[in-house]
Amino acid sequence: MKKKILIIVIVLTFSLSCKNNTSKSISPTAKEYIDEVITLLENNSVNRNTIEWEKFKTKIYSKATNAQEIKDTYPSIFFAIKEINDKHSYFEPINNAKQVDINKPLPQLKDEIIAHDIGYIRIPYFI
């Protein structure tokens, strides 16, 4: 009798722990977006040789567990930029980006030759 009760308790505990697992996993679109960001960071960060990339990826994916759309990945990407700590990388979501005025002319850059083997391009401002 005790054995039957023990088996019933174990089965109920197991089934209840699995039953309420209603969290969504990351969608393929969101995962692809995060993969692209991680690849960019891995290839271009000034700290790329000092980061343990597998641990880094695990942290980033854990922040995007329920991401379904690209906008849902933004918190994990901001976290990735903070974690990479290279003081050069930043992320600007598309909905915050400034609209480019296609009618506005591009700035004219002036160039000149200073010496026989030195070129110089004057850039009036840096974005």
Side-chain angles (χ1 to χ4, degrees):
M1 182 70 172
K2 288 183 181 181
K3 190 175 181 180
K4 285 183 181 181
I5 293 174
L6 180 61
I7 291 172
I8 291 171
V9 168
I10 291 172
V11 169
L12 283 174
T13 303
F14 180 73
S15 65
L16 288 175
S17 67
C18 294
K19 184 179 179 182
N20 291 329
N21 190 6
T22 58
S23 66
K24 298 176 183 177
S25 62
I26 188 169
S27 74
T29 302
K31 184 178 182 319
E32 185 178 317
Y33 192 75
I34 291 173
D35 287 344
E36 185 176 347
V37 169
I38 290 173
T39 300
L40 286 169
L41 293 173
E42 196 170 4
N43 291 335
N44 299 303
S45 172
V46 295
N47 293 336
R48 68 182 167 269
N49 296 324
T50 62
I51 294 170
E52 293 182 44
W53 288 103
E54 290 309 312
K55 287 182 181 179
F56 180 82
K57 290 174 188 178
T58 302
K59 284 183 186 179
I60 304 313
Y61 287 124
S62 72
K63 296 288 184 184
T65 317
N66 296 324
Q68 297 300 303
E69 299 177 23
I70 289 176
K71 68 180 180 180
D72 300 334
T73 66
Y74 294 169
S76 63
I77 293 171
F78 282 120
F79 179 76
I81 299 298
K82 181 181 171 202
E83 284 292 300
I84 205 131
N85 195 28
D86 69 4
K87 308 290 189 250
H88 295 274
S89 302
Y90 71 96
F91 174 66
E92 187 68 38
I94 190 93
N95 55 344
N96 292 347
K98 295 177 184 174
Q99 187 68 16
V100 176
D101 186 358
I102 59 173
N103 297 324
K104 184 178 177 182
L106 294 174
Q108 296 296 314
L109 303 178
K110 296 180 181 180
D111 63 337
E112 56 189 88
I113 296 175
I114 295 176
H116 70 284
D117 61 347
I118 298 175
Y120 180 79
I121 298 176
R122 186 175 317 216
I123 300 175
Y125 56 87
F126 185 77
I127 299 174

